[in-house]
């Protein structure tokens, strides 16, 4: 038995104890892979123990135009610094001079977020980033990071047209403007939207970073890391050229910036063929307003006064006028227009003018009889609404006669309403307005309605503080969301009065001859819109008037009105469907017919848009009563002609782009001293070297270490 089985048993025994070099390395790598697999499973939990993520933040991002880059960015791997809380200006001394642990990541009180402080921080290498806590209540002195002369250079006034009015030489419209949004910062700046997260940072600072006993704090210290690296640099010309080259020559192109774009929303009182051309003899009164806003931080643009007050009033006026019984008999049509991207050098209005000039729009510039624009209208003093006109075009006799008729009609329409219409000085230019882009193309009679005679009443223009509180929206305590939606505020009543005056004036301007007392804007509709566009989009009314596949746009966040680069944005969708709800009609069509109206006889799809909307909930049920809405509401491109023409360095059209980025995030953690980090690194390297040497010698002596002695007398063959 041994003669046959002995050698085989010996070989098996030896094989089980002695590994060849390839086998030994195979086992090593298998063990290493197992360790890595276990490590990856545990990695997330380890990271959670080390870092506290900040989830409710808004970054400052990079925007570019034909000549400049503005905004902020971090380094490619994020920027890190020891946290220091700055609640008064004296606290800056520690950051700028005294602190022994630079660079610092500053938690800045919102009341100190101003140009003077920011330029101090911009000029030092001791600051690696900034987290801004929202000031509550709003800064009483006002805060506007926008330009003193908004959209300067892109309106009608220039060296060739009213040079005395160019560059706000006569009227500085936004005197509180610090132009902070138009600075370029080479470190990241984030807004902290959640007071609880702000408190967590302050507590970490109190526990670890507060100097004690007259000396600096000891390690470990509380630190913050901000990631907001931007891909685009220099200007729109540079970034668009790079993106274009990538798209041309690369299989996987990497686009570094995108144009700001969206859609304008427009509708007419009497339906027109949206794909054809209106008779050149047909006159149209164009009513306009903007629907976008901006602030220092990305997608933080509440715009309660700068945008919402005007477009809500505009929507209410459209509803009131549509209820007049004889609108189909009016000799002039009325077009309701909501422009996107106006904050960034009139993107929406300049595109509509361009399309009209190139016959790419149903209307031509010659169809426009007159122009009425609603600007900021919620902060009226003593119920006064100011009428602004262009003094240069009024030097033309026929334009002057039409403008005078327009002003008189508005005044007449205000009789009996709690609105006092007054004319701004004849020698004063137009405020920043979409109307200016139309005047660049043709002398059109027009008026811009505002709550300010000269400088803006809005102390928070283009800022994160242009909130419902800024336009005095107040609700009793203890109301449910549904009760708040329906509660008619004083602000809603005030804006409804303005909408009533505008609707009555439009009726008369369009040729209406009947009594206008029945034309009345609904304060209840206005209060719903104010609630939905400034406080909570995800409300029962908005839910009922949109398509089922769009319900995801409502969300639970505070509404923002930034134009962005993906379109349509939430604001555009909602303005479109609110306008359709207020001015359209419910038609008796099935879901399939509503979604495919071209298959339905006499649907006139070139005149109307059809939408199958969710409808209201059945009582005590989660089921809805959907229905089909037919309206004359349409969308048109709000992309600057500069990108259509590939004129990225244009001075005629807006050239604003937004940089792309890989990730935006923020987190805090405890950081050890440099000495301890170096010691840890050195020890780690030493252990690695020792391990490699040990592995080498073990492998070299493997035949000795892993062999077993033969049994005495064992046979060998």
């Amino acid at each position: 038995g041994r003669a046959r089985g002995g050698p085989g048993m010996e070989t098996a025994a030896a094989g089980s104890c002695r590994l060849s070099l390839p086998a030994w390395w195979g086992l090593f790598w298998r063990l290493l892979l197992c360790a890595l697999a276990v490590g990856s499973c545990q990695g997330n939990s380890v990271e959670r123990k080390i870092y506290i993520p900040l989830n409710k933040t808004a970054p400052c991002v990079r925007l570019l135009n034909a000549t400049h880059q503005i905004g902020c960015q971090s380094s490619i791997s994020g920027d890190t610094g020891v946290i220091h809380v700055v609640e008064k200006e004296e606290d800056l001394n520690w950051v700028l001079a005294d602190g022994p642990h630079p660079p610092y990541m500053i938690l800045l009180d919102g009341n100190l977020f101003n140009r003077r402080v920011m330029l101090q921080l911009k000029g030092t290498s001791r600051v690696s980033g900034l987290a801004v806590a929202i000031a509550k209540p709003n800064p009483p002195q006002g805060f506007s990071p926008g330009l003193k002369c908004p959209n300067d250079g892109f309106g009608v006034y220039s060296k060739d047209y009213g040079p005395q009015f160019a560059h706000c030489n006569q009227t500085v419209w936004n005197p509180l403007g610090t132009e902070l949004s138009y600075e370029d910062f080479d470190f990241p700046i984030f807004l902290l939207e959640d007071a609880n997260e702000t408190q967590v940072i302050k507590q970490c600072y109190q526990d670890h970073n507060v100097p004690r006993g007259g000396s600096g704090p000891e390690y470990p210290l509380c630190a913050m890391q901000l990631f907001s690296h931007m891909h685009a640099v220099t200007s729109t010309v540079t970034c668009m050229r790079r993106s274009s080259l990538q798209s041309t020559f690369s299989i996987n192109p990497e686009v570094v910036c995108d144009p700001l774009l969206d859609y304008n929303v427009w509708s007419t009182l009497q339906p027109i063929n949206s794909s054809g051309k209106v008779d050149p003899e047909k006159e149209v009164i164009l009513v306009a307003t903007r629907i976008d806003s901006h602030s220092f931080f990305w997608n933080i643009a509440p715009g309660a006064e700068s945008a919402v007050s005007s477009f809500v009033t505009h929507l209410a006026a459209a509803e009131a006028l549509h209820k007049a019984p004889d609108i189909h008999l009016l000799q002039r049509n009325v077009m309701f227009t909501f422009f996107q991207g106006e904050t960034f050098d009139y993107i929406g209005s300049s595109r509509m003018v361009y399309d009209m000039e190139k016959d790419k729009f149903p209307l031509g510039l010659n169809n426009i009889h007159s122009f009425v624009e609603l600007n900021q209208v919620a902060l009226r003093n003593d119920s006064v609404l100011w009428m602004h006109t262009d003094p240069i075009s009024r030097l033309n006799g026929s334009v002057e006669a039409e403008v005078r008729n327009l002003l008189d009609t508005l005044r007449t329409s205000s009789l009996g309403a709690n609105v006092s219409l007054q004319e701004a000085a004849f020698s004063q230019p137009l405020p920043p307005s979409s109307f200016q882009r139309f005047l660049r193309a043709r002398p059109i009679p027009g008026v811009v309605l505002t709550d300010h005679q000269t400088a803006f009443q809005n102390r928070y223009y283009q800022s994160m503080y242009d909130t419902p509180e800024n336009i005095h929206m107040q609700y009793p305590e203890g109301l449910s969301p549904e009760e708040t939606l329906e509660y008619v505020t004083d602000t809603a009543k005030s804006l409804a009065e303005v909408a009533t005056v505008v609707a009555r004036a439009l009726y008369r301007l369009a040729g209406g001859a009947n009594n206008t007392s029945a034309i009345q804007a609904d304060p209840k509709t206005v209060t719903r819109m104010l609630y939905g566009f400034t406080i909570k989009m995800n409300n029962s009314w908005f839910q009922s008037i949109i398509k089922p596949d769009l319900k995801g746009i409502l969300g639970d966040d505070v509404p923002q009105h930034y134009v962005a680069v993906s379109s349509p944005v939430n604001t555009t969708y909602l303005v479109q469907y609110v306008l359709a709800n207020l001015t359209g009609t419910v038609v008796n069509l099935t879901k399939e017919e509503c979604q495919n109206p071209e298959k339905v006889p006499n649907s006139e799809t070139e005149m109307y848009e059809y939408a199958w909307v969710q409808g209201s909930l059945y009582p005590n049920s989660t089921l809805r009563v959907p229905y089909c809405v037919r309206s004359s509401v349409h969308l048109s491109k709000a992309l600057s002609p500069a990108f259509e023409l590939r004129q990225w360095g244009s001075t005629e059209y807006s050239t604003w782009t937004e940089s792309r980025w890989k990730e935006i995030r923020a987190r805090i953690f405890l950081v050890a001293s440099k000495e301890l980090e170096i010691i840890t690194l050195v020890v780690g390297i030493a252990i690695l070297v020792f391990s490699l040497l040990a592995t080498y010698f073990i492998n070299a002596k493997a035949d000795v270490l892993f062999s077993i002695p033969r049994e005495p007398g064992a046979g060998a063959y």
Side-chain angles (χ1 to χ4, degrees):
R2 180 181 292 267
R4 290 192 300 270
M9 292 293 293
E10 179 187 341
T11 304
S16 65
C17 297
R18 180 177 177 181
L19 297 171
S20 64
L21 180 60
W24 191 91
W25 276 110
L27 178 62
F28 172 79
W29 285 114
R30 282 195 294 273
L31 291 171
L32 180 60
L33 288 172
C34 288
L36 289 174
V38 173
S40 66
C41 294
Q42 299 295 326
N44 288 337
S45 61
V46 171
E47 182 175 348
R48 284 197 296 269
K49 291 176 182 177
I50 296 174
Y51 300 104
I52 299 176
L54 304 174
N55 298 317
K56 290 288 291 180
T57 62
C60 160
V61 303
R62 175 167 291 165
L63 300 175
L64 310 98
N65 65 9
T67 55
H68 291 81
Q69 64 179 32
I70 63 172
C72 324
Q73 78 156 352
S74 73
S75 62
I76 195 166
S77 57
D79 288 328
T80 305
V82 173
I83 295 171
H84 190 74
V85 176
V86 175
E87 295 180 326
K88 52 186 184 298
E89 286 206 40
E90 293 75 29
D91 296 336
L92 288 171
N93 295 331
W94 183 266
V95 173
L96 299 175
D98 302 337
H101 305 300
Y104 284 96
M105 194 68 72
I106 298 174
L107 174 57
L108 187 70
D109 184 272
N111 289 297
L112 294 177
F113 185 55
N114 56 54
R115 185 175 182 84
R116 184 180 67 257
V117 169
M118 291 303 296
L119 292 186
Q120 286 185 67
L121 301 179
K122 184 179 179 181
T124 178
S125 61
R126 290 174 59 88
V127 174
S128 60
L130 202 66
V132 180
I134 295 179
K136 291 188 177 179
N138 293 352
Q141 71 278 11
F143 174 72
S144 173
L147 298 171
K148 293 182 182 296
C149 188
N151 292 355
D152 186 23
F154 290 86
V156 69
Y157 302 112
S158 65
K159 60 182 176 62
D160 301 317
Y161 188 100
Q164 68 273 32
F165 304 130
H167 312 300
C168 296
N169 284 336
Q170 184 155 318
T171 305
V172 178
W173 296 105
N174 186 31
L176 292 176
T178 63
E179 306 188 354
L180 201 56
S181 290
Y182 296 83
E183 290 287 335
D184 183 35
F185 295 92
D186 59 359
F187 53 77
I189 304 176
F190 278 53
L191 177 68
L192 300 173
E193 299 182 75
D194 188 345
N196 292 328
E197 289 189 344
T198 303
Q199 192 54 45
V200 167
I201 299 171
K202 288 183 177 181
Q203 190 60 52
C204 189
Y205 167 79
Q206 291 289 338
D207 293 343
H208 299 279
N209 294 10
V210 174
R212 290 178 174 83
S215 60
E218 296 182 357
Y219 286 98
L221 298 173
C222 190
M224 183 184 296
Q225 190 172 31
L226 302 178
F227 297 84
S228 62
H229 182 67
M230 299 288 128
H231 294 175
V233 294
T234 309
S235 68
T236 289
V237 176
T238 301
C239 79
M240 289 299 292
R241 185 177 64 242
R242 289 178 178 175
S243 297
S244 179
L245 288 172
Q246 284 270 346
S247 301
T248 304
F249 297 109
S250 175
I251 298 174
N252 297 308
E254 183 180 342
V255 176
V256 296
C257 68
D258 301 283
L260 296 181
L261 78 157
D262 203 73
Y263 287 91
N264 299 322
V265 181
W266 64 275
S267 174
T268 51
L269 190 63
Q270 301 164 354
I272 63 172
N273 186 339
S274 61
S275 57
K277 289 295 295 181
V278 172
D279 186 331
E281 302 301 315
K282 182 66 174 176
E283 292 183 326
V284 177
I285 301 160
L286 201 152
V287 193
T289 191
R290 66 175 58 189
I291 58 174
D292 68 297
S293 188
H294 179 46
S295 81
F296 186 87
F297 298 99
W298 182 74
N299 206 29
I300 299 296
E305 160 72 342
S306 62
V308 178
S309 69
S310 57
F311 75 69
V312 161
T313 305
H314 188 169
L315 288 164
E319 180 192 33
L321 186 55
H322 267 270
K323 288 180 178 178
D326 58 339
I327 55 174
H328 61 287
L329 300 175
L330 298 178
Q331 66 183 76
R332 297 189 183 100
N333 206 345
V334 178
M335 177 174 164
F336 304 99
T337 313
F338 301 81
F339 291 121
Q340 261 287 14
E342 296 300 273
T343 303
F344 294 95
D345 300 336
Y346 306 119
I347 293 174
S349 55
S350 63
R351 179 53 187 260
M352 184 169 283
V353 171
Y354 174 82
D355 286 345
M356 286 180 173
E357 290 177 324
K358 302 297 181 184
D359 289 332
K360 295 180 179 180
F361 195 80
L363 294 175
L365 289 169
N366 290 331
N367 290 116
I368 302 176
H369 168 267
S370 52
F371 199 106
V372 178
E373 180 167 354
L374 285 159
N375 214 308
Q376 304 178 82
V377 293
L379 299 177
R380 292 180 290 138
N381 282 335
D382 300 323
S383 300
V384 175
L385 194 65
W386 292 94
M387 301 182 292
H388 300 263
T389 57
D390 172 44
I392 305 300
S393 61
R394 289 181 69 178
L395 297 175
N396 178 304
S398 61
V399 172
E400 166 63 16
E402 291 291 350
V403 170
R404 183 52 54 195
N405 176 57
L406 186 56
L407 300 179
D408 291 343
T409 303
L410 281 163
R411 281 198 191 92
T412 303
S413 301
S414 69
L415 298 176
N418 188 25
V419 179
S420 173
L421 279 156
Q422 296 188 23
E423 186 178 350
F426 182 86
S427 59
Q428 183 175 287
L430 287 168
S433 52
S434 306
F435 181 37
Q436 293 199 30
R437 290 302 303 193
F438 285 80
L439 280 176
R440 284 175 71 128
R442 178 174 168 266
I444 298 171
V447 62
V448 178
L449 303 176
T450 74
D451 56 21
H452 55 88
Q453 180 181 9
T454 52
F456 295 162
Q457 296 275 32
N458 187 2
R459 294 176 299 145
Y460 305 107
Y461 182 73
Q462 289 187 6
S463 91
M464 54 196 171
Y465 301 114
D466 191 4
T467 57
E469 292 77 18
N470 185 35
I471 57 173
H472 312 306
M473 286 174 59
Q474 296 177 335
Y475 297 91
E477 292 185 6
L479 294 183
S480 67
E482 196 64 25
E483 290 169 336
T484 309
L485 171 68
E486 301 294 340
Y487 180 82
V488 180
T489 62
D490 290 340
T491 303
K493 295 174 185 176
S494 174
L495 293 181
E497 289 167 350
V498 176
T500 297
V501 171
V502 171
R504 290 174 179 177
L506 292 173
Y507 176 80
R508 289 191 172 103
L509 289 168
N514 293 335
N515 189 294
T516 60
S517 59
I519 298 176
Q520 187 78 38
D522 185 358
K524 187 173 182 180
T525 301
V526 174
T527 208
R528 284 176 165 184
M529 289 191 287
L530 286 174
Y531 178 82
F533 284 113
T534 64
I535 297 176
K536 189 177 182 181
M537 284 185 171
N538 196 7
N539 62 72
S540 61
W541 187 50
F542 278 7
Q543 290 168 7
S544 70
I545 64 174
I546 63 170
K547 291 181 177 180
D549 58 341
L550 291 178
K551 60 185 178 183
I553 70 171
L554 298 177
D556 291 316
D557 294 330
V558 175
Q560 308 296 344
H561 307 293
Y562 174 60
V563 59
V565 297
S566 57
S567 59
V569 296
N570 298 357
T571 303
T572 303
Y573 272 130
L574 288 170
V575 168
Q576 177 189 6
Y577 284 98
V578 168
L579 183 58
N581 177 268
L582 298 180
T583 63
T585 56
V586 177
V587 290
N588 187 23
L589 296 179
T590 65
K591 180 179 180 181
E592 289 70 28
E593 290 172 334
C594 191
Q595 293 176 339
N596 300 282
E598 67 279 357
K599 298 178 181 179
V600 179
N602 304 317
S603 59
E604 298 180 291
T605 53
E606 70 281 357
M607 310 281 280
Y608 296 104
E609 296 286 339
Y610 292 79
W612 184 258
V613 300
Q614 292 195 117
S616 302
L617 291 168
Y618 280 106
N620 304 315
S621 173
T622 57
L623 298 177
R624 294 185 175 274
V625 190
Y627 56 92
C628 186
V629 174
R630 185 186 71 181
S631 72
S632 60
V633 180
H634 308 279
L635 299 181
S636 66
K637 275 187 181 179
L639 169 66
S640 171
F643 299 100
E644 196 95 345
L645 301 168
R646 296 176 67 87
Q647 295 176 359
W648 304 319
S650 173
T651 56
E652 169 75 8
Y653 300 112
S654 170
T655 55
W656 285 105
T657 54
E658 181 186 273
S659 173
R660 288 196 178 186
W661 57 81
K662 184 176 181 181
E663 62 176 344
I664 298 287
R665 60 190 174 102
R667 60 189 185 182
I668 63 172
F669 57 96
L670 294 181
V671 63
S673 66
K674 292 293 182 185
E675 292 79 7
L676 181 57
E677 289 178 347
I678 292 172
I679 291 171
T680 304
L681 177 63
V682 170
V683 170
I685 292 173
I687 292 173
L688 175 63
V689 171
F690 175 77
S691 300
L692 291 173
L693 290 173
T695 302
Y696 173 78
F697 284 115
I698 290 171
N699 183 58
K701 302 297 182 180
D703 56 338
V704 176
L705 294 172
F706 299 110
S707 63
I708 59 173
R710 294 179 181 176
E711 294 179 13
Y717 296 92

